[in-house]
């Protein structure tokens, strides 16, 4: 149980285009989902916290107009990287917090974004 | 101050031996949780073990145990009987806050290589 999927698992796009990444909790409902970014050989850095039905809370230094987050249902959150540039190339990982009250976040397998 | 400090960029261990990965943390929150995750080269974050700040006993999960020393603010991971498949990056993480208001901070990781 507690499986989180991400789609796509990897994507290559041209500079200036937008890319949408989906995060789904497959067997549980998640009131809160988190988006992290991991640059090569670095740790995970929290980008934003997404609560179902409300606006996402972004960490300092993360541009909300560039990284659009939508959490429209209890099982789906999306991250859209708008006007992507090579410096946005990174590993994006989502996690989901069960609505049951568990404090453990369950992580997705990640999405590797390469912007040419 | 760093919230999570992992001082070992890389560690080697002989197969079947035990290894300790260090982690110290800093928080003023009386209620917090400590996690260890394994990240193989494929990128997914694999949950290993959890220790709550109020837990009296050290957490254990199979070959993994967490040496929790609250006064010293350390939460070292001990892997017993290392296996070749244990070679990966290992991240220590701390959760502060609860529910949708929680925030998880990750250390920079330790790369463990198991030698046959």
């Amino acid at each position: 149980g507690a499986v989180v999927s991400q789609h796509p698992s990897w994507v290559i796009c041209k500079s200036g285009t937008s890319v949408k990444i989906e995060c789904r909790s497959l067997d549980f409902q998640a009131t809160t989902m988190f988006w992290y970014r991991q640059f090569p050989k670095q740790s995970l850095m929290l980008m934003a916290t997404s609560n179902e039905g409300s606006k996402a809370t972004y960490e300092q230094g993360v541009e909300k107009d560039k990284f659009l987050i939508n959490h429209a249902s209890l099982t789906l959150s999306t991250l859209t990287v708008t006007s992507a540039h090579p410096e946005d190339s990174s590993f994006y990982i989502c996690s989901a917090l069960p609505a049951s009250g568990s404090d453990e976040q369950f992580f997705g397998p990640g999405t590797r974004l390469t912007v040419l | 101050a760093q919230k999570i400090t992992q001082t070992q960029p890389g560690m080697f261990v002989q197969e079947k031996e035990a290894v300790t990965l260090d982690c110290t943390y800093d928080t003023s929150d009386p209620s917090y949780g400590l996690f260890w995750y394994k990240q193989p080269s494929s990128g997914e974050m694999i949950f290993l073990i959890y220790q709550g700040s109020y837990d009296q006993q050290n957490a254990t999960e199979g070959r993994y145990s967490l040496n929790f020393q609250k006064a010293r603010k350390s939460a070292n991971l001990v892997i017993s009987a290392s296996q070749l498949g244990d070679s990966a990056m290992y991240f220590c993480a701390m959760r502060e806050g609860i529910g949708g208001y929680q925030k998880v901070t990750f250390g920079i990781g330790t790369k463990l290589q198991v030698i046959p």
Side-chain angles (χ1 to χ4, degrees):
Chain A
V3 178
V4 176
S5 70
Q6 279 184 244
H7 179 80
S9 54
W10 60 269
V11 56
I12 301 173
C13 69
K14 290 184 178 180
S15 187
T17 60
S18 294
V19 174
K20 180 186 282 188
I21 302 170
E22 292 184 349
C23 177
R24 291 182 186 273
S25 56
L26 297 185
D27 51 1
F28 66 97
Q29 293 184 328
T31 47
T32 305
M33 289 184 171
F34 304 86
W35 286 95
Y36 296 84
R37 180 167 52 183
Q38 185 180 28
F39 290 110
K41 300 189 188 302
Q42 295 189 25
S43 189
L44 278 72
M45 299 297 293
L46 180 65
M47 298 175 66
T49 302
S50 160
N51 287 296
E52 186 264 339
S54 60
K55 290 183 179 180
T57 302
Y58 290 81
E59 293 301 299
Q60 193 172 12
V62 178
E63 300 174 56
K64 62 180 181 181
D65 294 330
K66 180 168 183 62
F67 298 100
L68 302 179
I69 291 172
N70 185 292
H71 191 164
S73 79
L74 288 173
T75 59
L76 173 65
S77 176
T78 60
L79 168 68
T80 301
V81 183
T82 63
S83 186
H85 290 282
E87 57 265 30
D88 298 323
S89 298
S90 187
F91 194 55
Y92 292 87
I93 305 177
C94 74
S95 69
L97 194 63
S100 62
S102 164
D103 269 336
E104 180 185 346
Q105 297 180 24
F106 295 93
F107 285 84
T111 296
R112 193 165 300 283
L113 170 64
T114 302
V115 185
L116 302 177
Chain B
Q2 292 280 345
K3 283 189 174 289
I4 293 286
T5 302
Q6 293 180 255
T7 58
Q8 306 153 312
M11 290 281 286
F12 288 93
V13 64
Q14 201 77 39
E15 193 178 7
K16 299 180 185 177
E17 297 291 312
V19 63
T20 298
L21 306 184
D22 295 341
C23 173
T24 57
Y25 61 92
D26 184 35
T27 181
S28 56
D29 193 337
S31 176
Y32 53 91
L34 298 159
F35 300 81
W36 276 93
Y37 290 91
K38 172 184 177 182
Q39 187 180 44
S41 56
S42 54
E44 76 267 31
M45 297 293 284
I46 301 170
F47 166 77
L48 296 179
I49 197 165
Y50 168 78
Q51 179 88 41
S53 58
Y54 293 118
D55 293 343
Q56 295 293 317
Q57 293 192 324
N58 287 344
T60 59
E61 290 283 351
R63 294 187 298 112
Y64 305 107
S65 60
L66 198 152
N67 185 358
F68 181 45
Q69 297 190 41
K70 195 170 183 177
R72 297 178 60 184
K73 293 190 174 180
S74 76
N76 298 341
L77 176 70
V78 180
I79 304 174
S80 62
S82 297
Q83 302 172 355
L84 295 178
D86 294 335
S87 295
M89 283 293 290
Y90 287 80
F91 291 97
C92 179
M94 176 174 65
R95 171 190 52 77
E96 297 171 286
I98 58 172
Y101 298 98
Q102 67 176 249
K103 185 175 291 189
V104 176
T105 307
F106 287 82
I108 62 171
T110 296
K111 184 172 184 177
L112 176 67
Q113 295 190 58
V114 181
I115 305 166

